[in-house]
Amino acid sequence: MFRTHTCGSLTAKNIGETVTLAGWVQKIRNKGFVIWVDLRDRYGITQLVFDTERTDASVLENAKSLGREFVVQIKGTVIERESKNLLMPTGEIELLVSELTLLNASKTPPFTIEDKTDGGEDLRMKYRYLDIRRNPVKQNLIFRSQVAMAVRNYLSGEGFIEIETPYLIKSTPEGARDFVVPSRMNEGQFYALPQSPQTFKQLLMVGGMDKYFQIVRCFRDEDLRADRQPEFTQIDCEMAFVEQEDILNAFEGLTRHILEHTKGVELEKFPRMTYDQAMRKYGNDKPDIRFGMAFGELTEVAQGFGFPVFDGQELVVGIAVPNGAEMTRKEIDELTEWVKRSQVGAKGLVWVRYQADGTLKSSVDKFYNTETLQKWAEKTAAKTGDMILIMAGNADKTRSQLSDLRMELAKRLGLRNPEIFAPLWVVDFPLLEWDEESGRYHAMHHPFTSPKPEDIPMLETNPGKVRANAYDLVLNGNEIGGGSIRIHDKSTQQRMFKLLGFSDEQAKAQFGFLMDAFEYGAPPHGGIAFGFDRLVSILGGQETIRDFIAFPKNNSGRDIMIDAPATISEEQLDELNIALTLKVKK
Ligand code: ASP
């Protein structure tokens, strides 16, 4: 037997037993007459002891030549430790070694294999296999596996069938660029890697599979924003013969199950909000509702008093910062500078202090009396001791700027507690969104999303107003899932493609297979996909999804461990019949 136990399993109960362990040398303390070695494997650390009195001279000699991260197999007797470490499961015992086999030596690792390492991000990524030996990364990967297992258990229990869909496909638009793969056997032609299995899962519904899921890799060639990965994982799901309500219930159930089984957290029924409400109340379609600071619209009670910054603006809107009245001028100035940065782009901030004695003091006292300020306090739900911060301008922009400020303040005030989980559904998204650059409408979710039946008459006359049967699941200010009821008839799908600027020929060339399928008894259907990496990182209480992916790419989309992407050989290019003329940008 290679090992009888793991490095995390021996306790006082095993004292006196002869055991065999295998693992990596974490640490060596050589006192001359005695050597202690911490031996580590996935399960924990066990202290080994070698000494001049009890250990064979040759074994002791071998122990002296060990180095960090050497791989060894050892046989020994479990003995009671003199100085116990009750913080460790194995802290009451140590192993008196009788046999030591060196399985493999190791170079000195480029960074310390400790919970807090001295390795920078790049170094850790280059030697990711060493990084994975560290507890924090290891634990994250184990946690990820537990979440995946909870998903499979729940969905299988609900009658969902896990089905794999192909990776070498034709474009499925989710609003990003495709990664393409040249086909050797079909000269001059390319596959696209799926941005999602969207069309396939719909075809599975036409195929009568009824309830499908897949934990699946998706590929999107986007300009990488912080914490986006070009390949990422979704929990992808689809159901037939359902209405929106059925889907929300099914996946609220899944989310609740995951939280209960991986975090021991029981959630109340998830609140729901329309897209419109979310934008008005939080300036954001993925509001973080772990804390208040909801928007109060002040346009009506702030205009017409001769204050030029507010008058004539589309929207005047404010938030009450809890216990913010004590903010100094300096702090307010700093916040004002913060909102004026180009990333936020606001023009400035108006403030009103709701002082502890109940009086109100503002930066615009010249224009407004107490009675008016009192109305602002009511609309922003400010209490004594709060600070009201106000912005004005174009409605959409101002909402988004105030939303940025709200999130920043919440961060500074420590209101984004990672131990609290506040999910909600955002429903009734607009079907389309106007894209300035291309001068046309884009599908806000994707082109297969069905409009609300009552809004269909507006499709051609007022497309921007049409709402979709689309929903997002939001958790702690992050969109963790999104989906829709789909179009399942050919003519509506054709109308949709037309709206999105596809000619009939283009639509047929790209999605003819789907519209054909709709002519063979496609059932009403709908679904959702969860961003698995993001979900796991939120549940794990951390911000970056990279920490929950075994082999992630860096911010330039590179895997710096295997050094990909890379050029390919002339031979490979020839086989593919590709002549490479790179238009290298300076
Ligand atoms: N395919 C969609 C996405 O990747 C999810 C869905 O509509 O089910 O966002």
Side-chain angles (χ1 to χ4, degrees):
M1 221 193 302
F2 214 106
R3 53 180 175 186
T4 59
H5 295 78
T6 67
C7 295
S9 62
L10 296 170
T11 64
K13 284 199 198 91
N14 303 93
I15 289 174
E17 289 176 27
T18 301
V19 300
T20 308
L21 299 183
W24 289 264
V25 171
Q26 169 85 27
K27 201 160 51 181
I28 308 164
R29 273 158 299 148
N30 185 346
K31 299 272 176 207
F33 60 99
V34 51
I35 302 173
W36 283 287
V37 171
D38 280 353
L39 189 68
R40 183 196 72 238
D41 66 8
R42 187 186 120 191
Y43 308 91
I45 287 180
T46 298
Q47 178 167 299
L48 314 179
V49 61
F50 306 77
D51 67 33
T52 39
E53 262 173 47
R54 296 174 290 180
T55 311
D56 218 62
S58 64
V59 175
L60 194 67
E61 243 355 87
N62 284 340
K64 281 184 188 153
S65 62
L66 291 176
R68 266 163 55 205
E69 301 307 311
F70 278 41
V71 192
V72 296
Q73 180 190 41
I74 55 105
K75 196 169 170 181
T77 314
V78 183
I79 58 175
E80 189 175 354
R81 236 201 250 192
E82 240 169 65
S83 52
K84 300 193 172 48
N85 177 354
L86 296 180
L87 296 176
M88 281 173 72
T90 62
E92 286 185 85
I93 56 102
E94 57 191 357
L95 211 61
L96 183 62
V97 179
S98 53
E99 283 173 36
L100 168 68
T101 311
L102 180 64
L103 300 172
N104 217 337
S106 170
K107 287 207 226 171
T108 306
F111 51 85
T112 52
I113 313 293
E114 304 277 352
D115 290 7
K116 285 223 178 316
T117 178
D118 56 358
E121 179 87 12
D122 280 358
L123 204 57
R124 287 175 41 213
M125 289 303 156
K126 184 162 159 60
Y127 298 95
R128 185 63 161 174
Y129 46 89
L130 296 180
D131 205 24
I132 292 171
R133 290 187 193 163
R134 296 172 51 242
N135 272 322
V137 183
K138 180 183 76 190
Q139 290 308 345
N140 285 352
L141 295 181
I142 294 172
F143 182 66
R144 181 184 175 107
S145 164
Q146 286 165 347
V147 179
M149 199 51 81
V151 170
R152 291 205 161 92
N153 283 341
Y154 182 81
L155 291 177
S156 309
E158 295 290 311
F160 284 79
I161 301 167
E162 187 165 8
I163 303 174
E164 289 154 282
T165 52
Y167 281 157
L168 296 174
I169 65 164
K170 208 153 85 167
S171 179
T172 290
E174 295 276 1
R177 257 178 237 107
D178 291 320
F179 280 103
V180 294
V181 180
S183 163
R184 182 181 57 80
M185 287 192 289
N186 302 274
E187 210 171 283
Q189 296 189 325
F190 295 80
Y191 300 100
L193 299 180
Q195 294 184 36
S196 83
Q198 184 61 36
T199 46
F200 287 95
K201 66 175 172 176
Q202 293 191 237
L203 293 170
L204 286 171
M205 294 306 109
V206 183
M209 291 314 292
D210 199 67
K211 287 175 169 182
Y212 140 94
F213 86 102
Q214 182 180 195
I215 298 182
V216 62
R217 198 67 53 80
C218 302
F219 307 84
R220 296 184 191 175
D221 187 3
E222 290 175 288
D223 293 333
L224 294 170
R225 275 183 263 147
D227 214 27
R228 283 264 177 116
Q229 289 282 316
E231 53 176 306
F232 60 95
T233 304
Q234 286 189 343
I235 311 166
D236 191 47
C237 313
E238 196 76 5
M239 301 167 87
F241 303 115
V242 283
E243 289 166 355
Q244 174 165 310
E245 193 60 31
D246 302 303
I247 302 218
L248 300 194
N249 287 331
F251 294 99
E252 190 163 321
L254 170 67
T255 312
R256 199 175 273 127
H257 177 90
I258 296 172
L259 265 126
E260 197 179 322
H261 286 79
T262 64
K263 300 295 291 178
V265 170
E266 287 199 31
L267 295 171
E268 307 274 308
K269 184 147 181 57
F270 298 2
R272 292 186 192 177
M273 207 178 279
T274 64
Y275 171 85
D276 235 40
Q277 288 166 334
M279 295 310 279
R280 282 173 186 279
K281 214 169 154 192
Y282 299 103
N284 199 318
D285 61 3
K286 43 181 193 315
D288 191 338
I289 56 167
R290 280 174 295 182
F291 53 91
M293 286 198 268
F295 291 9
E297 293 195 4
L298 310 178
T299 319
E300 277 176 16
V301 285
Q303 292 185 336
F305 294 85
F307 180 46
V309 174
F310 286 176
D311 282 350
Q313 299 296 352
E314 194 182 352
L315 180 73
V316 181
V317 60
I319 52 172
V321 186
N323 306 317
E326 300 293 314
M327 254 185 237
T328 62
R329 272 313 287 267
K330 206 168 144 224
E331 284 169 318
I332 299 172
D333 288 347
E334 192 270 323
L335 268 187
T336 309
E337 286 313 309
W338 190 89
V339 298
K340 282 177 158 175
R341 297 175 324 145
S342 59
Q343 296 94 317
V344 182
K347 287 197 220 69
L349 280 177
V350 166
W351 55 263
V352 183
R353 270 200 187 102
Y354 203 154
Q355 305 181 116
D357 62 4
T359 59
L360 291 146
K361 169 109 197 66
S362 80
S363 57
V364 287
D365 279 350
K366 231 167 72 189
F367 298 94
Y368 300 96
N369 59 20
T370 305
E371 203 182 317
T372 307
L373 298 181
Q374 194 65 49
K375 285 190 191 146
W376 297 3
E378 272 159 37
K379 296 222 179 255
T380 55
K383 299 184 300 300
T384 53
D386 290 355
M387 170 74 90
I388 308 169
L389 296 174
I390 304 162
M391 289 179 174
N394 162 283
D396 291 346
K397 274 200 192 123
T398 308
R399 285 192 178 111
S400 135
Q401 292 158 353
L402 191 61
S403 166
D404 287 349
L405 176 64
R406 175 177 177 269
M407 293 304 275
E408 174 67 16
L409 285 165
K411 193 169 96 190
R412 294 188 189 186
L413 295 171
L415 300 174
R416 305 195 66 189
N417 181 350
E419 292 302 317
I420 294 177
F421 296 97
L424 82 148
W425 289 106
V426 177
V427 299
D428 296 358
F429 275 80
L431 183 71
L432 302 165
E433 92 194 307
W434 182 254
D435 182 61
E436 284 295 340
E437 221 169 273
S438 54
R440 66 156 88 117
Y441 281 108
H442 282 199
M444 189 143 181
H445 188 50
H446 52 54
F448 317 108
T449 295
S450 76
K452 283 207 170 289
E454 61 269 35
D455 290 358
I456 288 185
M458 288 193 294
L459 263 183
E460 281 83 16
T461 52
N462 197 354
K465 274 269 170 290
V466 176
R467 290 164 307 158
N469 270 325
Y471 32 81
D472 274 358
L473 182 58
V474 175
L475 181 60
N476 295 357
N478 297 278
E479 179 208 323
I480 57 159
S484 58
I485 297 295
R486 324 299 183 187
I487 298 168
H488 68 279
D489 69 284
K490 183 172 173 173
S491 65
T492 312
Q493 190 64 70
Q494 272 171 330
R495 268 170 91 183
M496 188 67 189
F497 282 134
K498 198 170 255 144
L499 261 179
L500 297 172
F502 286 77
S503 69
D504 281 349
E505 294 72 45
Q506 283 168 331
K508 198 164 170 354
Q510 238 184 309
F511 301 109
F513 65 95
L514 187 68
M515 289 190 288
D516 284 350
F518 286 172
E519 292 189 293
Y520 290 92
H525 60 285
I528 190 167
F530 288 73
F532 186 62
D533 311 282
R534 167 84 51 226
L535 175 65
V536 173
S537 75
I538 296 172
L539 296 177
Q542 286 169 37
E543 302 265 306
T544 40
I545 63 173
R546 243 200 315 253
D547 294 342
F548 290 85
I549 297 174
F551 299 106
K553 311 248 183 309
N554 74 4
N555 278 344
S556 336
R558 298 199 67 83
D559 182 324
I560 55 180
M561 180 180 66
I562 60 171
D563 197 20
T567 51
I568 58 173
S569 70
E570 280 298 324
E571 258 169 10
Q572 281 173 302
L573 284 171
D574 279 349
E575 261 174 7
L576 295 166
N577 254 309
I578 292 181
L580 212 52
T581 19
L582 275 189
K583 297 182 201 156
V584 181
K585 286 197 198 117
K586 288 232 175 74

